[in-house]
Amino acid sequence: MSDSQDAAKSKEGSKDEQSSWQDNCHGVSALAIKRLIKFAHCKDKTLLIYGGLKTMLVADCSTGSLMELEQSHTERVTSVTVGKDKEVMVSGGNDKRLVVWQLPEMKVASKTVTDKKVVSVVLDEERRRVVFAEIAGEVFQKPIDDLDSKAEHLLGHISSLTDMRISPSGSRLLTSDRDEKVRISNFPHAFEIEAFCLGHTELVTCIETFTLAEEELLLSGGADGSVRLWSVKDGSLLDTYMIDPAGEEEEGEDGQQADSQPLAEEPKTWDRFAAGTAQATAAVSGRMRRRTNSPAVVALAYCPRLSLAACIIENQREVLLLQVSGKELKELNRVEVDQMPVGIEIDDVEHEGKAECFMLVAVLDDRPKLEAFRVEGGKECVVKKIDLKSSKEESKIISAFACLSEEMSTRQEESHKASGQDGSGQYFQKRRRHTEPGFKQYQGKAD
Amino acid sequence: MSGYHANSGRHFTVEVEDDTGGVKKRKFRSRAHANPLADPQFEYPVSPDCVDWSVLYPELCGEAKTMPRPVEYADIGCGFGGLLVKLGERFPDKISIGVEIREKVASYVDQRIKALRNENKGRFQNISVVRTNAMKCIANFFVKGSLEKLFFCFADPHFKTKNHRRRIINRNSISEFAYVLKEGGFLYVVTDVKELHDWQVEHLNAHPLFEKLDDDAEKADPCWDLMFNSSEEANKVERNEGSKFGAIYRRISLAEAVARREKK
């Protein structure tokens, strides 16, 4: 009798677990829609690169027009990195290819094929190596002069990787994954983990690293609706900016347990707090965590001269500008955009001898296009929108933006909704096993 | 019970013994396998500062609800808790924890420990069990370099090649274990499956941060016998007259690891 009761209760337990398990997929859509838009600074000019759905588009800011490129990438380019000597650029994308380009002519120097889709590429200047992160969780390196040699395994996460950066000093490799962690590993000895940045309560979508006041800092955006500032030295959390403070749980109060969401309705009769039960694991875990209704951060960009971080948020048609200062993140401004933002870049471009800060937002509803803004630093952080159609003649830079934007919208293959139909969204989604009991009732569950 | 237990694979046979004050094993039967790569179906702490240790070690934490020192010994995949109990007895001054991914088995161990604590006043306060996925969440529980010993006894062999990345010792997880182990800390592996032993030794040898102890040092280690003979799995292997293979590794510092690499 008691045995059959146990059997029934165990089935109940597994159903509850399944519903909280499904919540784990939050943030996947943000990863899928992210697009690359980036300035590549060469020796005497700047290029603007856009990772389109099927091809890479490059505009030259000194001539004000698009550049002709050799056929190289066949799927979305997810990451581009420029060497410190500004002569070489490496790009990697969802077509499982790495391409090395000669700047500034954008001539293909060499290509190679990787095992899995490439999430991020960085360059190791000292040892002349290309370090690339694959979506499956592994990071490899190859010498830049000999891309066909066997890739050397550097490190791996027990989870999918979402982004990777190398610290400005080149001594730390930073990788973020789907398990809410950012791992700070020693570089080049990446097997030694220096620290973990633990604080996000949903997957980490993007990271940026920079030096501020002689300290190496890290910014991370997560699917839990927060942008966090960390110290690269020890992985300690310096500040958190919550996008939606209304839904915030108590932060920073140790030992206090927030109101528990009902994880399991009935405590099992044998022991309420037997270590395996949901209550027990939640009790040991301290504060409650999952906030699956929070808006996910899609992408981050950082302007070093103004210490400004710009970030775009899923389902919100605005760009958030944050002032980064040593130990703190402060909201400065919110800039509205017309369509759904999918990519962001904020950086200085040399223009007639002086540096002007431009912010570019790739937006997409049906067809992608660019929205450009001039950013002036200072306390109010004035942001002026540039009307690309009318100011085309103003300067070569603006004309470059306009050309790129036009090309983006007119290309046939680019037209589709902002829903990441190139398959990478599917990769991050959990694959459900069809033999599980109760599978059918969760199929197609919207939230 | 009839619809619930599976008879396939490495399934724990049930002895309905009256062990440890009436906690019957048969109520806690569960599948022998759990996929460690799947997203966890349970809560885990955001970071080690969030862990409420007083839930696990109430007497040790006392009124202040803080641990006197961090956990020192961890048994990863503690199963039904045999080794954990022996660790608690043999090393009363060290705090030990068992990590188990299967819910029912973790509950069994918890009940067992509670029963032991009730019957022996003041003893067994230094052992506890937590249900979590050691491959994914170990850094969420333990501060860098806080553990002194890590035990991996009779781990799931995951025989199929496509499942090899689920093995608890693989090239990525070893880095995380090195992170939570302090320099000079020890890592113990024992198994009855020769192929798994070869795999574990190969991967640990290949990892720069671990150095294998030589045979004499291994035999001299106080936990060598313990790990071979304490857990329920070990006893089952004995009964079936199988052979066991073990190894002990020491976690070395980064500087030492780099120096060794350069020597080669």
Side-chain angles (χ1 to χ4, degrees):
Chain A
M1 280 284 258
S2 53
D3 291 344
S4 57
Q5 275 176 12
D6 276 353
K9 278 195 190 112
S10 67
K11 279 204 182 127
E12 266 173 44
S14 63
K15 263 194 211 159
D16 288 331
E17 285 174 332
Q18 272 181 18
S19 48
S20 60
W21 176 53
Q22 198 183 20
D23 294 345
N24 233 317
C25 300
H26 186 65
V28 164
S29 42
L31 287 169
I33 64 174
K34 178 158 64 159
R35 298 282 180 92
L36 174 71
I37 176 99
K38 193 166 165 171
F39 282 120
H41 299 283
C42 315
K43 281 203 176 119
D44 40 358
K45 62 174 168 177
T46 309
L47 302 175
L48 179 58
I49 300 172
Y50 169 71
L53 201 61
K54 296 285 177 196
T55 54
M56 193 163 91
L57 298 175
V58 182
D60 189 335
C61 291
S62 59
T63 62
S65 56
L66 279 184
M67 286 183 81
E68 289 282 324
L69 291 180
E70 266 177 64
Q71 258 293 35
S72 47
H73 283 286
T74 50
E75 295 281 337
R76 191 155 65 87
V77 172
T78 48
S79 173
V80 144
T81 183
V82 178
K84 286 205 177 107
D85 55 0
K86 304 195 179 168
E87 279 177 4
V88 81
M89 182 174 93
V90 186
S91 61
N94 282 349
D95 54 352
K96 302 184 191 172
R97 270 191 221 162
L98 281 178
V99 180
V100 179
W101 304 84
Q102 202 81 296
L103 289 176
E105 313 89 41
M106 287 297 284
K107 210 171 72 132
V108 175
S110 51
K111 321 187 203 186
T112 187
V113 173
T114 60
D115 263 340
K116 300 267 159 81
K117 295 179 179 166
V118 175
V119 166
S120 179
V121 191
V122 296
L123 276 171
D124 173 12
E125 315 288 341
E126 255 184 70
R127 293 156 214 96
R128 311 266 310 146
R129 293 227 172 91
V130 176
V131 180
F132 56 97
E134 289 180 352
I135 213 171
E138 312 289 334
V139 174
F140 297 95
Q141 67 179 1
K142 280 192 181 189
I144 201 172
D145 307 311
D146 184 14
L147 278 190
D148 289 321
S149 61
K150 188 160 186 289
E152 198 187 306
H153 182 255
L154 269 187
L155 64 87
H157 281 235
I158 319 277
S159 178
S160 315
L161 283 176
T162 53
D163 208 352
M164 176 174 77
R165 291 283 186 275
I166 191 167
S167 72
S169 62
S171 65
R172 296 280 185 269
L173 194 59
L174 313 159
T175 40
S176 64
D177 67 5
R178 201 171 163 272
D179 274 346
E180 311 106 26
K181 296 188 175 76
V182 180
R183 169 173 153 173
I184 302 178
S185 321
N186 188 299
F187 192 75
H189 309 292
F191 48 79
E192 164 91 0
I193 305 176
E194 298 287 344
F196 275 105
C197 299
L198 301 172
H200 278 288
T201 57
E202 292 288 345
L203 62 87
V204 182
T205 49
C206 46
I207 53 178
E208 276 296 337
T209 182
F210 46 87
T211 312
L212 191 61
E214 326 240 320
E215 258 203 65
E216 290 191 329
L217 300 177
L218 164 71
L219 262 185
S220 63
D224 55 352
S226 68
V227 177
R228 291 175 196 253
L229 183 66
W230 315 81
S231 153
V232 171
K233 198 159 79 167
D234 55 2
S236 55
L237 177 64
L238 297 173
D239 198 12
T240 307
Y241 176 80
M242 296 297 298
I243 292 167
D244 180 19
E248 191 181 340
E249 304 286 334
E250 290 120 52
E251 292 264 14
E253 296 193 34
D254 287 338
Q256 210 187 54
Q257 290 190 21
D259 298 326
S260 329
Q261 297 162 15
L263 287 174
E265 306 90 23
E266 286 296 312
K268 318 221 170 165
T269 50
W270 6 287
D271 188 341
R272 264 191 99 214
F273 286 106
T277 59
Q279 272 104 349
T281 47
V284 171
S285 309
R287 302 178 283 224
M288 291 304 295
R289 305 178 35 241
R290 302 269 126 116
R291 294 173 54 232
T292 51
N293 297 324
S294 46
V297 174
V298 173
L300 278 180
Y302 181 74
C303 174
R305 183 176 62 97
L306 303 174
S307 302
L308 270 187
C311 68
I312 51 176
I313 304 144
E314 199 182 6
N315 296 330
Q316 284 187 16
R317 290 168 186 235
E318 55 184 12
V319 176
L320 185 60
L321 284 166
L322 298 170
Q323 178 80 54
V324 186
S325 68
K327 309 290 174 200
E328 202 179 41
L329 286 175
K330 212 171 59 160
E331 178 181 341
L332 267 195
N333 208 344
R334 285 192 186 225
V335 179
E336 279 200 27
V337 291
D338 290 334
Q339 300 174 31
M340 205 61 73
V342 292
I344 182 136
E345 166 72 305
I346 181 168
D347 209 355
D348 292 323
V349 181
E350 285 284 323
H351 178 50
E352 284 156 14
K354 57 177 183 149
E356 228 189 314
C357 184
F358 289 98
M359 182 167 80
L360 292 171
V361 189
V363 294
L364 171 66
D365 264 347
D366 190 37
R367 283 174 185 277
K369 66 170 190 173
L370 270 188
E371 292 201 15
F373 302 85
R374 274 207 178 83
V375 181
E376 281 152 41
K379 283 209 191 122
E380 298 97 42
C381 180
V382 177
V383 174
K384 293 193 195 130
K385 180 154 178 174
I386 306 173
D387 186 349
L388 286 179
K389 292 216 169 74
S390 56
S391 353
K392 217 168 161 175
E393 312 310 316
E394 255 183 53
S395 70
K396 296 285 183 200
I397 298 182
I398 311 237
S399 143
F401 298 165
C403 275
L404 187 62
S405 182
E406 233 176 87
E407 183 70 16
M408 275 159 72
S409 0
T410 51
R411 283 225 168 193
Q412 256 324 73
E413 62 255 16
E414 297 291 323
S415 81
H416 76 123
K417 301 265 183 283
S419 60
Q421 285 175 11
D422 60 356
S424 65
Q426 255 183 321
Y427 186 93
F428 281 108
Q429 275 284 358
K430 286 172 33 58
R431 273 177 225 122
R432 326 230 37 208
R433 286 185 11 222
H434 295 259
T435 52
E436 276 163 9
F439 168 75
K440 285 222 170 68
Q441 60 184 125
Y442 292 96
Q443 202 172 20
K445 190 170 172 186
D447 53 288
Chain B
M1 204 63 146
S2 52
Y4 181 59
H5 76 253
N7 272 327
S8 58
R10 283 167 67 83
H11 184 74
F12 283 104
T13 51
V14 162
E15 295 105 39
V16 187
E17 346 152 347
D18 240 302
D19 42 10
T20 63
V23 185
K24 292 198 172 41
K25 269 198 200 141
R26 66 181 156 89
K27 282 197 163 42
F28 296 84
R29 239 203 278 199
S30 81
R31 299 181 67 229
H33 303 284
N35 181 1
L37 298 181
D39 279 349
Q41 299 181 20
F42 44 81
E43 289 291 330
Y44 47 93
V46 173
S47 72
D49 337 310
C50 295
V51 180
D52 186 1
W53 295 105
S54 62
V55 172
L56 304 173
Y57 302 100
E59 217 178 87
L60 269 187
C61 291
E63 291 282 327
K65 301 227 175 192
T66 50
M67 288 280 272
R69 54 188 184 281
V71 173
E72 281 126 346
Y73 297 168
D75 181 6
I76 309 292
C78 64
F80 291 95
L83 175 62
L84 194 59
V85 170
K86 291 267 170 63
L87 279 178
E89 285 174 335
R90 184 84 79 85
F91 304 99
D93 302 324
K94 297 286 188 182
I95 306 178
S96 307
I97 195 162
V99 176
E100 176 57 53
I101 193 175
R102 294 168 289 177
E103 180 193 349
K104 296 211 135 199
V105 178
S107 299
Y108 169 82
V109 182
D110 199 36
Q111 295 283 60
R112 184 176 172 183
I113 295 177
K114 288 197 168 86
L116 281 173
R117 284 177 179 175
N118 275 337
E119 285 166 11
N120 309 282
K121 286 296 174 198
R123 292 177 62 206
F124 299 109
Q125 291 295 336
N126 60 335
I127 59 170
S128 186
V129 68
V130 69
R131 184 232 176 158
T132 187
N133 182 341
M135 266 175 80
K136 286 197 177 226
C137 309
I138 203 163
N140 296 71
F141 280 90
F142 303 111
V143 169
K144 175 177 181 173
S146 57
L147 290 176
E148 289 178 7
K149 289 190 202 283
L150 267 179
F151 292 88
F152 297 88
C153 300
F154 302 93
D156 193 334
H158 289 294
F159 289 111
K160 291 187 192 166
T161 315
K162 65 169 180 151
N163 286 341
H164 281 179
R165 62 203 174 107
R166 298 188 194 179
R167 287 180 168 173
I168 189 79
I169 303 277
N170 62 56
R171 65 181 175 179
N172 299 332
S173 67
I174 300 180
S175 296
E176 301 214 2
F177 298 137
Y179 170 79
V180 294
L181 255 188
K182 70 178 198 195
E183 284 168 24
F186 293 100
L187 187 146
Y188 300 78
V189 282
V190 65
T191 179
D192 57 326
V193 179
K194 179 83 170 76
E195 196 244 314
L196 181 66
H197 176 74
D198 293 339
W199 164 286
Q200 288 175 338
V201 165
E202 180 198 326
H203 280 73
L204 282 164
N205 284 343
H207 199 276
L209 292 175
F210 283 98
E211 181 202 5
K212 190 173 195 295
L213 293 189
D214 53 34
D215 292 335
D216 302 323
E218 280 184 345
K219 294 208 172 63
D221 192 294
C223 297
W224 181 250
D225 301 311
L226 261 191
M227 87 173 166
F228 271 97
N229 299 315
S230 322
S231 56
E232 277 77 359
E233 268 289 345
N235 296 336
K236 188 166 87 164
V237 173
E238 289 266 337
R239 280 198 305 277
N240 298 339
E241 285 165 38
S243 39
K244 303 178 213 167
F245 313 94
I248 307 182
Y249 283 82
R250 191 170 63 92
R251 201 276 200 213
I252 57 180
S253 66
L254 176 64
E256 217 183 308
V258 172
R260 265 162 218 267
R261 266 194 161 181
E262 264 148 41
K263 251 198 256 171
K264 287 186 205 161

